[in-house]
């Protein structure tokens, strides 16, 4: 894309800031996820468009900007995670030219590193920074760790991103054992990602 556009098992210690999560009700979570990912949270940054005007694409000053080769490196990106001073762990990543502009984007599943427990996952779409001297930037958030879910089975191909979300049906379900599973996919259509979710499976 052009620059102009876990669920944690309950940790043994509740004092680790990056492993504390609030109980998540699966139905409320998936409803919120569908609403958010269907539009609001996937709105591109202010001033950005998925496909810049023709005049902007052919502006003379852009010709002098070198085009980075290859997909962004997921390990080098700066993710919007508060890990309490700890590091960020990249669990899975994949690359494809999702918007068809001739440049590959990277999709990464990440979480905060933890000595124990399983912090929730986030899923981010990365693009190269406008300045080649800067690390890849987050273009879209597909799954926010605040939703308290674990993300597995990431696959990136063509203009489609697919994954499996694991969550809890209620606060009474042990944090070690998610009991809800939902397969989802996002497809780049008409300048934005569109979410499709399969029915929730009641047990993992």
């Amino acid at each position: 894309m052009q620059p102009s556009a876990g669920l944690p098992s309950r940790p043994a210690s509740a004092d680790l800031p990056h492993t504390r999560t609030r109980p998540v009700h699966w139905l409320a979570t998936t409803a919120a996820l569908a609403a958010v990912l269907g539009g609001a949270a996937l709105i591109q940054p202010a001033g950005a468009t998925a496909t810049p005007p023709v005049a902007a694409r052919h502006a003379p000053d852009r010709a002098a900007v070198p085009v980075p080769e290859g997909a962004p490196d997921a390990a080098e990106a700066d993710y919007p995670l508060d890990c309490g001073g700890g590091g960020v762990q990249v669990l899975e990543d994949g690359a494809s030219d999702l918007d068809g502009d001739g440049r590959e984007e990277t999709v990464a599943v990440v979480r905060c590193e933890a000595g124990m427990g399983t912090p929730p996952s986030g899923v981010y779409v990365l693009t190269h920074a406008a300045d080649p001297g800067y690390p890849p930037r987050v273009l879209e958030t597909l799954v926010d760790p605040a939703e308290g879910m674990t993300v597995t089975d990431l696959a990136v191909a063509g203009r489609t991103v697919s994954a499996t979300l694991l969550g809890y049906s209620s606060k009474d379900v042990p944090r070690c054992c998610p009991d809800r599973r939902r397969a989802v996919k996002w497809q780049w259509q008409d300048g934005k990602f569109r979410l499709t979710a399969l029915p929730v499976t009641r047990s993992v």
Side-chain angles (χ1 to χ4, degrees):
M1 295 180 186
Q2 301 182 19
S4 60
L7 285 176
S9 301
R10 174 64 65 183
S13 170
D15 293 331
L16 295 176
H18 60 283
T19 59
R20 293 200 299 267
T21 58
R22 67 182 187 281
V24 178
H25 189 286
W26 179 253
L27 297 179
T29 296
T30 53
L33 179 67
V36 170
L37 297 184
L42 295 181
I43 296 175
Q44 296 175 337
T49 58
T51 305
V54 173
R57 294 201 303 268
H58 295 285
D61 58 339
R62 290 186 57 81
V65 177
V67 178
E69 295 183 1
D73 185 347
E76 298 296 326
D78 184 14
Y79 298 96
L81 291 176
D82 180 5
C83 295
V88 174
Q89 180 180 12
V90 178
L91 301 177
E92 300 181 75
D93 66 272
S96 183
D97 180 6
L98 294 169
D99 64 350
D101 69 347
R103 303 182 187 184
E104 286 189 319
E105 290 75 46
T106 296
V107 182
V109 178
V110 304
R111 70 183 185 191
C112 292
E113 292 180 334
M116 58 180 62
T118 306
S121 306
V123 181
Y124 303 96
V125 181
L126 308 175
T127 187
H128 286 292
D131 187 330
Y134 286 83
R137 64 185 181 88
V138 173
L139 183 68
E140 303 282 2
T141 298
L142 300 183
V143 177
D144 192 319
E147 296 293 340
M149 292 182 287
T150 294
V151 181
T152 63
D153 305 326
L154 177 72
V156 184
R159 298 193 178 190
T160 301
V161 178
S162 61
T164 299
L165 308 181
L166 305 180
Y168 301 98
S169 59
S170 77
K171 65 181 181 180
D172 298 322
V173 177
R175 298 299 97 182
C176 66
C177 311
D179 64 341
R180 290 293 184 265
R181 176 192 297 266
R182 167 165 275 179
V184 297
K185 68 178 179 180
W186 297 266
Q187 291 179 298
W188 181 263
Q189 296 177 350
D190 301 324
K192 64 182 179 180
F193 285 103
R194 295 184 180 274
L195 173 67
T196 300
L198 298 181
V200 173
T201 300
R202 288 187 174 274
S203 60
V204 174

